[in-house]
Amino acid sequence: MNSTGFFNSVWLLVAHIPAGRVASYGQIAALLGHPRAARTVGWALHSTPDHLDIPWHRVINSQGRISTDCGEHSPGLQRYLLEQEGLQFDGDYVDMDRYQWQPDMATIEAILAKGHPLARTD
DNA sequence: ATAATGACTGGGG
DNA sequence: ACCCCAGCCATTA
């Protein structure tokens, strides 16, 4: 159990990204107070337990491009899910200025304070 | 405790 | 636009 770990915070925050919006790995890291831990965010999402039902597809790279090459969470699936939520792609890119999630600090604090029901069960 | 591992990022060529 | 590189850092596949 680890409701305060970084992975858990990542899942918690990503769970609150609204449909039709996206965040970058670095953005999630920064919102959690670790602006250099973008890679770790990617790793956290890679190891997201399926039962948590996290909208993992709403996290893409800072260029507005899909990064995953994981079999379970494939680029094709991620793009499909995003398009289902109304995002339009220009080639391999989405317009970050248009779709990026922009929560205010109060929202973030509320989410993090609320904390946890996402603790791992292994 | 140390080493390896990435769904990253920004900069440079 | 593309490819490559070095720095990055929480976790342990």
Side-chain angles (χ1 to χ4, degrees):
Chain A
M1 68 76 151
N2 183 6
S3 59
T4 56
F6 189 75
F7 279 24
N8 195 268
S9 297
V10 170
W11 298 326
L12 183 59
L13 199 50
V14 170
H16 288 77
I17 302 173
R21 316 237 73 190
V22 293
S24 74
Y25 301 93
Q27 179 187 2
I28 296 298
L31 290 171
L32 293 176
H34 295 249
R36 313 292 171 151
R39 305 187 66 164
T40 308
V41 171
W43 199 351
L45 291 174
H46 176 71
S47 54
T48 305
D50 292 336
H51 69 83
L52 294 184
D53 194 32
I54 298 297
W56 56 270
H57 58 283
R58 296 182 191 143
V59 185
I60 60 181
N61 70 28
S62 64
Q63 319 284 319
R65 217 176 190 188
I66 288 172
S67 292
T68 180
D69 59 349
C70 171
E72 286 281 313
H73 317 109
S74 68
L77 174 59
Q78 183 165 12
R79 176 167 179 150
Y80 170 78
L81 291 172
L82 289 174
E83 290 179 327
Q84 288 300 303
E85 296 182 351
L87 275 76
Q88 296 176 11
F89 281 75
D90 176 11
D92 292 330
Y93 298 85
V94 297
D95 184 345
M96 289 302 274
D97 291 334
R98 177 176 177 185
Y99 298 118
Q100 186 164 37
W101 184 37
Q102 292 171 351
D104 53 50
M105 280 315 289
T107 299
I108 299 304
E109 290 174 8
I111 292 171
L112 296 180
K114 184 174 181 182
H116 70 58
L118 306 177
R120 281 181 292 172
T121 57
D122 51 301

PDB file of all heavy atoms in Angstrom, chain A residues 27-57:
ATOM      1  N   GLN A  27       3.823  17.968 -17.653  1.00  0.00           N
ATOM      2  CA  GLN A  27       2.824  18.777 -16.955  1.00  0.00           C
ATOM      3  C   GLN A  27       2.348  18.084 -15.689  1.00  0.00           C
ATOM      4  O   GLN A  27       2.249  18.697 -14.629  1.00  0.00           O
ATOM      5  CB  GLN A  27       1.636  19.021 -17.887  1.00  0.00           C
ATOM      6  CG  GLN A  27       0.524  19.834 -17.244  1.00  0.00           C
ATOM      7  CD  GLN A  27      -0.712  19.939 -18.113  1.00  0.00           C
ATOM      8  OE1 GLN A  27      -0.766  19.376 -19.206  1.00  0.00           O
ATOM      9  NE2 GLN A  27      -1.709  20.657 -17.636  1.00  0.00           N
ATOM     10  N   ILE A  28       2.049  16.799 -15.802  1.00  0.00           N
ATOM     11  CA  ILE A  28       1.616  16.036 -14.638  1.00  0.00           C
ATOM     12  C   ILE A  28       2.709  16.067 -13.577  1.00  0.00           C
ATOM     13  O   ILE A  28       2.450  16.314 -12.400  1.00  0.00           O
ATOM     14  CB  ILE A  28       1.324  14.568 -15.018  1.00  0.00           C
ATOM     15  CG1 ILE A  28       0.147  14.499 -16.007  1.00  0.00           C
ATOM     16  CG2 ILE A  28       1.013  13.748 -13.776  1.00  0.00           C
ATOM     17  CD1 ILE A  28      -1.156  15.025 -15.464  1.00  0.00           C
ATOM     18  N   ALA A  29       3.938  15.847 -14.017  1.00  0.00           N
ATOM     19  CA  ALA A  29       5.066  15.856 -13.082  1.00  0.00           C
ATOM     20  C   ALA A  29       5.162  17.213 -12.379  1.00  0.00           C
ATOM     21  O   ALA A  29       5.314  17.283 -11.162  1.00  0.00           O
ATOM     22  CB  ALA A  29       6.363  15.548 -13.822  1.00  0.00           C
ATOM     23  N   ALA A  30       5.039  18.284 -13.148  1.00  0.00           N
ATOM     24  CA  ALA A  30       5.154  19.630 -12.586  1.00  0.00           C
ATOM     25  C   ALA A  30       4.038  19.907 -11.590  1.00  0.00           C
ATOM     26  O   ALA A  30       4.270  20.493 -10.529  1.00  0.00           O
ATOM     27  CB  ALA A  30       5.125  20.659 -13.715  1.00  0.00           C
ATOM     28  N   LEU A  31       2.836  19.484 -11.934  1.00  0.00           N
ATOM     29  CA  LEU A  31       1.696  19.704 -11.038  1.00  0.00           C
ATOM     30  C   LEU A  31       1.898  18.983  -9.708  1.00  0.00           C
ATOM     31  O   LEU A  31       1.366  19.388  -8.677  1.00  0.00           O
ATOM     32  CB  LEU A  31       0.401  19.226 -11.690  1.00  0.00           C
ATOM     33  CG  LEU A  31      -0.097  20.072 -12.861  1.00  0.00           C
ATOM     34  CD1 LEU A  31      -1.267  19.391 -13.562  1.00  0.00           C
ATOM     35  CD2 LEU A  31      -0.511  21.456 -12.374  1.00  0.00           C
ATOM     36  N   LEU A  32       2.678  17.915  -9.758  1.00  0.00           N
ATOM     37  CA  LEU A  32       2.946  17.153  -8.533  1.00  0.00           C
ATOM     38  C   LEU A  32       4.180  17.667  -7.800  1.00  0.00           C
ATOM     39  O   LEU A  32       4.604  17.097  -6.804  1.00  0.00           O
ATOM     40  CB  LEU A  32       3.131  15.675  -8.873  1.00  0.00           C
ATOM     41  CG  LEU A  32       1.852  14.977  -9.380  1.00  0.00           C
ATOM     42  CD1 LEU A  32       2.150  13.548  -9.793  1.00  0.00           C
ATOM     43  CD2 LEU A  32       0.785  15.017  -8.314  1.00  0.00           C
ATOM     44  N   GLY A  33       4.783  18.721  -8.356  1.00  0.00           N
ATOM     45  CA  GLY A  33       5.937  19.307  -7.695  1.00  0.00           C
ATOM     46  C   GLY A  33       7.263  18.675  -8.077  1.00  0.00           C
ATOM     47  O   GLY A  33       8.266  18.864  -7.406  1.00  0.00           O
ATOM     48  N   HIS A  34       7.262  17.888  -9.175  1.00  0.00           N
ATOM     49  CA  HIS A  34       8.491  17.250  -9.648  1.00  0.00           C
ATOM     50  C   HIS A  34       8.662  17.512 -11.140  1.00  0.00           C
ATOM     51  O   HIS A  34       8.508  16.607 -11.953  1.00  0.00           O
ATOM     52  CB  HIS A  34       8.450  15.742  -9.392  1.00  0.00           C
ATOM     53  CG  HIS A  34       8.430  15.364  -7.953  1.00  0.00           C
ATOM     54  ND1 HIS A  34       9.488  14.743  -7.324  1.00  0.00           N
ATOM     55  CD2 HIS A  34       7.481  15.541  -7.001  1.00  0.00           C
ATOM     56  CE1 HIS A  34       9.197  14.532  -6.050  1.00  0.00           C
ATOM     57  NE2 HIS A  34       7.983  15.000  -5.827  1.00  0.00           N
ATOM     58  N   PRO A  35       8.955  18.753 -11.496  1.00  0.00           N
ATOM     59  CA  PRO A  35       8.977  19.174 -12.894  1.00  0.00           C
ATOM     60  C   PRO A  35       9.933  18.387 -13.797  1.00  0.00           C
ATOM     61  O   PRO A  35       9.803  18.431 -15.005  1.00  0.00           O
ATOM     62  CB  PRO A  35       9.376  20.649 -12.816  1.00  0.00           C
ATOM     63  CG  PRO A  35      10.038  20.797 -11.478  1.00  0.00           C
ATOM     64  CD  PRO A  35       9.339  19.830 -10.580  1.00  0.00           C
ATOM     65  N   ARG A  36      10.867  17.661 -13.214  1.00  0.00           N
ATOM     66  CA  ARG A  36      11.813  16.901 -14.040  1.00  0.00           C
ATOM     67  C   ARG A  36      11.481  15.428 -14.125  1.00  0.00           C
ATOM     68  O   ARG A  36      12.273  14.645 -14.655  1.00  0.00           O
ATOM     69  CB  ARG A  36      13.224  17.023 -13.456  1.00  0.00           C
ATOM     70  CG  ARG A  36      13.634  18.430 -13.102  1.00  0.00           C
ATOM     71  CD  ARG A  36      13.802  19.264 -14.336  1.00  0.00           C
ATOM     72  NE  ARG A  36      13.989  20.660 -14.023  1.00  0.00           N
ATOM     73  CZ  ARG A  36      14.673  21.488 -14.788  1.00  0.00           C
ATOM     74  NH1 ARG A  36      15.239  21.039 -15.871  1.00  0.00           N
ATOM     75  NH2 ARG A  36      14.771  22.752 -14.469  1.00  0.00           N
ATOM     76  N   ALA A  37      10.372  15.040 -13.577  1.00  0.00           N
ATOM     77  CA  ALA A  37      10.081  13.604 -13.478  1.00  0.00           C
ATOM     78  C   ALA A  37       9.111  13.112 -14.551  1.00  0.00           C
ATOM     79  O   ALA A  37       8.363  12.160 -14.340  1.00  0.00           O
ATOM     80  CB  ALA A  37       9.552  13.281 -12.091  1.00  0.00           C
ATOM     81  N   ALA A  38       9.163  13.738 -15.718  1.00  0.00           N
ATOM     82  CA  ALA A  38       8.251  13.357 -16.796  1.00  0.00           C
ATOM     83  C   ALA A  38       8.362  11.877 -17.149  1.00  0.00           C
ATOM     84  O   ALA A  38       7.364  11.187 -17.356  1.00  0.00           O
ATOM     85  CB  ALA A  38       8.531  14.204 -18.034  1.00  0.00           C
ATOM     86  N   ARG A  39       9.577  11.373 -17.197  1.00  0.00           N
ATOM     87  CA  ARG A  39       9.768   9.967 -17.576  1.00  0.00           C
ATOM     88  C   ARG A  39       9.140   9.044 -16.562  1.00  0.00           C
ATOM     89  O   ARG A  39       8.629   7.980 -16.903  1.00  0.00           O
ATOM     90  CB  ARG A  39      11.253   9.639 -17.709  1.00  0.00           C
ATOM     91  CG  ARG A  39      11.969  10.565 -18.655  1.00  0.00           C
ATOM     92  CD  ARG A  39      13.386  10.110 -18.886  1.00  0.00           C
ATOM     93  NE  ARG A  39      13.420   8.845 -19.584  1.00  0.00           N
ATOM     94  CZ  ARG A  39      14.496   8.357 -20.181  1.00  0.00           C
ATOM     95  NH1 ARG A  39      15.608   9.023 -20.143  1.00  0.00           N
ATOM     96  NH2 ARG A  39      14.450   7.211 -20.805  1.00  0.00           N
ATOM     97  N   THR A  40       9.223   9.459 -15.340  1.00  0.00           N
ATOM     98  CA  THR A  40       8.654   8.642 -14.272  1.00  0.00           C
ATOM     99  C   THR A  40       7.123   8.608 -14.396  1.00  0.00           C
ATOM    100  O   THR A  40       6.491   7.599 -14.104  1.00  0.00           O
ATOM    101  CB  THR A  40       9.066   9.189 -12.900  1.00  0.00           C
ATOM    102  OG1 THR A  40      10.489   9.329 -12.875  1.00  0.00           O
ATOM    103  CG2 THR A  40       8.626   8.251 -11.798  1.00  0.00           C
ATOM    104  N   VAL A  41       6.550   9.717 -14.865  1.00  0.00           N
ATOM    105  CA  VAL A  41       5.100   9.744 -15.089  1.00  0.00           C
ATOM    106  C   VAL A  41       4.739   8.714 -16.165  1.00  0.00           C
ATOM    107  O   VAL A  41       3.767   7.969 -16.025  1.00  0.00           O
ATOM    108  CB  VAL A  41       4.639  11.148 -15.528  1.00  0.00           C
ATOM    109  CG1 VAL A  41       3.174  11.121 -15.978  1.00  0.00           C
ATOM    110  CG2 VAL A  41       4.805  12.146 -14.385  1.00  0.00           C
ATOM    111  N   GLY A  42       5.537   8.679 -17.205  1.00  0.00           N
ATOM    112  CA  GLY A  42       5.304   7.698 -18.261  1.00  0.00           C
ATOM    113  C   GLY A  42       5.377   6.287 -17.718  1.00  0.00           C
ATOM    114  O   GLY A  42       4.558   5.428 -18.050  1.00  0.00           O
ATOM    115  N   TRP A  43       6.305   6.065 -16.861  1.00  0.00           N
ATOM    116  CA  TRP A  43       6.464   4.746 -16.280  1.00  0.00           C
ATOM    117  C   TRP A  43       5.273   4.397 -15.376  1.00  0.00           C
ATOM    118  O   TRP A  43       4.767   3.282 -15.367  1.00  0.00           O
ATOM    119  CB  TRP A  43       7.759   4.678 -15.476  1.00  0.00           C
ATOM    120  CG  TRP A  43       8.247   3.305 -15.203  1.00  0.00           C
ATOM    121  CD1 TRP A  43       7.553   2.129 -15.443  1.00  0.00           C
ATOM    122  CD2 TRP A  43       9.500   2.937 -14.655  1.00  0.00           C
ATOM    123  NE1 TRP A  43       8.312   1.055 -15.064  1.00  0.00           N
ATOM    124  CE2 TRP A  43       9.524   1.534 -14.573  1.00  0.00           C
ATOM    125  CE3 TRP A  43      10.612   3.645 -14.219  1.00  0.00           C
ATOM    126  CZ2 TRP A  43      10.622   0.838 -14.064  1.00  0.00           C
ATOM    127  CZ3 TRP A  43      11.686   2.945 -13.722  1.00  0.00           C
ATOM    128  CH2 TRP A  43      11.697   1.558 -13.650  1.00  0.00           C
ATOM    129  N   ALA A  44       4.832   5.394 -14.649  1.00  0.00           N
ATOM    130  CA  ALA A  44       3.676   5.188 -13.761  1.00  0.00           C
ATOM    131  C   ALA A  44       2.460   4.761 -14.583  1.00  0.00           C
ATOM    132  O   ALA A  44       1.740   3.829 -14.221  1.00  0.00           O
ATOM    133  CB  ALA A  44       3.370   6.466 -12.994  1.00  0.00           C
ATOM    134  N   LEU A  45       2.263   5.417 -15.705  1.00  0.00           N
ATOM    135  CA  LEU A  45       1.106   5.093 -16.539  1.00  0.00           C
ATOM    136  C   LEU A  45       1.266   3.724 -17.178  1.00  0.00           C
ATOM    137  O   LEU A  45       0.295   2.988 -17.340  1.00  0.00           O
ATOM    138  CB  LEU A  45       0.905   6.168 -17.610  1.00  0.00           C
ATOM    139  CG  LEU A  45       0.447   7.509 -17.023  1.00  0.00           C
ATOM    140  CD1 LEU A  45       0.403   8.572 -18.104  1.00  0.00           C
ATOM    141  CD2 LEU A  45      -0.917   7.364 -16.365  1.00  0.00           C
ATOM    142  N   HIS A  46       2.502   3.403 -17.536  1.00  0.00           N
ATOM    143  CA  HIS A  46       2.762   2.079 -18.113  1.00  0.00           C
ATOM    144  C   HIS A  46       2.351   0.987 -17.135  1.00  0.00           C
ATOM    145  O   HIS A  46       1.855  -0.061 -17.522  1.00  0.00           O
ATOM    146  CB  HIS A  46       4.240   1.935 -18.462  1.00  0.00           C
ATOM    147  CG  HIS A  46       4.597   0.575 -18.970  1.00  0.00           C
ATOM    148  ND1 HIS A  46       4.193   0.139 -20.228  1.00  0.00           N
ATOM    149  CD2 HIS A  46       5.279  -0.434 -18.417  1.00  0.00           C
ATOM    150  CE1 HIS A  46       4.640  -1.105 -20.399  1.00  0.00           C
ATOM    151  NE2 HIS A  46       5.307  -1.472 -19.319  1.00  0.00           N
ATOM    152  N   SER A  47       2.544   1.242 -15.874  1.00  0.00           N
ATOM    153  CA  SER A  47       2.260   0.226 -14.868  1.00  0.00           C
ATOM    154  C   SER A  47       0.927   0.483 -14.154  1.00  0.00           C
ATOM    155  O   SER A  47       0.720   0.021 -13.042  1.00  0.00           O
ATOM    156  CB  SER A  47       3.399   0.172 -13.848  1.00  0.00           C
ATOM    157  OG  SER A  47       3.639   1.447 -13.288  1.00  0.00           O
ATOM    158  N   THR A  48       0.054   1.215 -14.794  1.00  0.00           N
ATOM    159  CA  THR A  48      -1.269   1.463 -14.201  1.00  0.00           C
ATOM    160  C   THR A  48      -2.056   0.165 -14.096  1.00  0.00           C
ATOM    161  O   THR A  48      -2.263  -0.514 -15.093  1.00  0.00           O
ATOM    162  CB  THR A  48      -2.093   2.425 -15.090  1.00  0.00           C
ATOM    163  OG1 THR A  48      -1.370   3.614 -15.305  1.00  0.00           O
ATOM    164  CG2 THR A  48      -3.424   2.743 -14.418  1.00  0.00           C
ATOM    165  N   PRO A  49      -2.480  -0.189 -12.890  1.00  0.00           N
ATOM    166  CA  PRO A  49      -3.323  -1.379 -12.734  1.00  0.00           C
ATOM    167  C   PRO A  49      -4.639  -1.157 -13.490  1.00  0.00           C
ATOM    168  O   PRO A  49      -5.259  -0.111 -13.370  1.00  0.00           O
ATOM    169  CB  PRO A  49      -3.575  -1.437 -11.224  1.00  0.00           C
ATOM    170  CG  PRO A  49      -2.428  -0.692 -10.622  1.00  0.00           C
ATOM    171  CD  PRO A  49      -2.141   0.409 -11.598  1.00  0.00           C
ATOM    172  N   ASP A  50      -5.039  -2.135 -14.288  1.00  0.00           N
ATOM    173  CA  ASP A  50      -6.233  -1.980 -15.113  1.00  0.00           C
ATOM    174  C   ASP A  50      -7.483  -1.688 -14.298  1.00  0.00           C
ATOM    175  O   ASP A  50      -8.360  -0.953 -14.723  1.00  0.00           O
ATOM    176  CB  ASP A  50      -6.452  -3.249 -15.947  1.00  0.00           C
ATOM    177  CG  ASP A  50      -5.369  -3.400 -16.999  1.00  0.00           C
ATOM    178  OD1 ASP A  50      -4.775  -2.381 -17.379  1.00  0.00           O
ATOM    179  OD2 ASP A  50      -5.134  -4.534 -17.442  1.00  0.00           O
ATOM    180  N   HIS A  51      -7.557  -2.297 -13.121  1.00  0.00           N
ATOM    181  CA  HIS A  51      -8.788  -2.149 -12.333  1.00  0.00           C
ATOM    182  C   HIS A  51      -9.041  -0.727 -11.861  1.00  0.00           C
ATOM    183  O   HIS A  51     -10.136  -0.407 -11.411  1.00  0.00           O
ATOM    184  CB  HIS A  51      -8.758  -3.107 -11.126  1.00  0.00           C
ATOM    185  CG  HIS A  51      -7.753  -2.744 -10.083  1.00  0.00           C
ATOM    186  ND1 HIS A  51      -8.006  -1.806  -9.114  1.00  0.00           N
ATOM    187  CD2 HIS A  51      -6.480  -3.167  -9.874  1.00  0.00           C
ATOM    188  CE1 HIS A  51      -6.943  -1.685  -8.340  1.00  0.00           C
ATOM    189  NE2 HIS A  51      -6.010  -2.499  -8.778  1.00  0.00           N
ATOM    190  N   LEU A  52      -8.036   0.131 -11.977  1.00  0.00           N
ATOM    191  CA  LEU A  52      -8.229   1.504 -11.543  1.00  0.00           C
ATOM    192  C   LEU A  52      -9.032   2.312 -12.548  1.00  0.00           C
ATOM    193  O   LEU A  52      -9.565   3.357 -12.234  1.00  0.00           O
ATOM    194  CB  LEU A  52      -6.879   2.191 -11.306  1.00  0.00           C
ATOM    195  CG  LEU A  52      -6.056   1.640 -10.144  1.00  0.00           C
ATOM    196  CD1 LEU A  52      -4.798   2.466  -9.971  1.00  0.00           C
ATOM    197  CD2 LEU A  52      -6.880   1.676  -8.861  1.00  0.00           C
ATOM    198  N   ASP A  53      -9.086   1.836 -13.798  1.00  0.00           N
ATOM    199  CA  ASP A  53      -9.875   2.521 -14.813  1.00  0.00           C
ATOM    200  C   ASP A  53      -9.464   3.986 -14.971  1.00  0.00           C
ATOM    201  O   ASP A  53     -10.272   4.885 -14.887  1.00  0.00           O
ATOM    202  CB  ASP A  53     -11.364   2.434 -14.442  1.00  0.00           C
ATOM    203  CG  ASP A  53     -12.231   2.831 -15.628  1.00  0.00           C
ATOM    204  OD1 ASP A  53     -11.806   2.564 -16.761  1.00  0.00           O
ATOM    205  OD2 ASP A  53     -13.306   3.413 -15.407  1.00  0.00           O
ATOM    206  N   ILE A  54      -8.165   4.183 -15.157  1.00  0.00           N
ATOM    207  CA  ILE A  54      -7.610   5.522 -15.326  1.00  0.00           C
ATOM    208  C   ILE A  54      -7.645   5.915 -16.805  1.00  0.00           C
ATOM    209  O   ILE A  54      -7.337   5.094 -17.660  1.00  0.00           O
ATOM    210  CB  ILE A  54      -6.138   5.530 -14.852  1.00  0.00           C
ATOM    211  CG1 ILE A  54      -6.051   5.177 -13.362  1.00  0.00           C
ATOM    212  CG2 ILE A  54      -5.504   6.873 -15.122  1.00  0.00           C
ATOM    213  CD1 ILE A  54      -6.736   6.153 -12.458  1.00  0.00           C
ATOM    214  N   PRO A  55      -8.016   7.161 -17.114  1.00  0.00           N
ATOM    215  CA  PRO A  55      -7.989   7.623 -18.511  1.00  0.00           C
ATOM    216  C   PRO A  55      -6.572   7.896 -18.988  1.00  0.00           C
ATOM    217  O   PRO A  55      -6.212   9.037 -19.271  1.00  0.00           O
ATOM    218  CB  PRO A  55      -8.849   8.891 -18.478  1.00  0.00           C
ATOM    219  CG  PRO A  55      -8.668   9.429 -17.099  1.00  0.00           C
ATOM    220  CD  PRO A  55      -8.555   8.202 -16.214  1.00  0.00           C
ATOM    221  N   TRP A  56      -5.779   6.850 -19.063  1.00  0.00           N
ATOM    222  CA  TRP A  56      -4.363   6.939 -19.431  1.00  0.00           C
ATOM    223  C   TRP A  56      -4.162   7.598 -20.795  1.00  0.00           C
ATOM    224  O   TRP A  56      -3.135   8.214 -21.065  1.00  0.00           O
ATOM    225  CB  TRP A  56      -3.758   5.532 -19.461  1.00  0.00           C
ATOM    226  CG  TRP A  56      -4.496   4.606 -20.372  1.00  0.00           C
ATOM    227  CD1 TRP A  56      -5.547   3.799 -20.042  1.00  0.00           C
ATOM    228  CD2 TRP A  56      -4.263   4.418 -21.775  1.00  0.00           C
ATOM    229  NE1 TRP A  56      -5.982   3.116 -21.161  1.00  0.00           N
ATOM    230  CE2 TRP A  56      -5.215   3.477 -22.240  1.00  0.00           C
ATOM    231  CE3 TRP A  56      -3.338   4.951 -22.693  1.00  0.00           C
ATOM    232  CZ2 TRP A  56      -5.276   3.067 -23.581  1.00  0.00           C
ATOM    233  CZ3 TRP A  56      -3.394   4.534 -24.021  1.00  0.00           C
ATOM    234  CH2 TRP A  56      -4.355   3.605 -24.451  1.00  0.00           C
ATOM    235  N   HIS A  57      -5.169   7.457 -21.660  1.00  0.00           N
ATOM    236  CA  HIS A  57      -5.024   7.984 -23.026  1.00  0.00           C
ATOM    237  C   HIS A  57      -4.988   9.497 -23.075  1.00  0.00           C
ATOM    238  O   HIS A  57      -4.626  10.074 -24.098  1.00  0.00           O
ATOM    239  CB  HIS A  57      -6.157   7.456 -23.892  1.00  0.00           C
ATOM    240  CG  HIS A  57      -7.523   7.804 -23.386  1.00  0.00           C
ATOM    241  ND1 HIS A  57      -8.112   7.150 -22.321  1.00  0.00           N
ATOM    242  CD2 HIS A  57      -8.398   8.760 -23.779  1.00  0.00           C
ATOM    243  CE1 HIS A  57      -9.318   7.688 -22.105  1.00  0.00           C
ATOM    244  NE2 HIS A  57      -9.516   8.669 -22.966  1.00  0.00           N
TER     245      HIS A  57
END
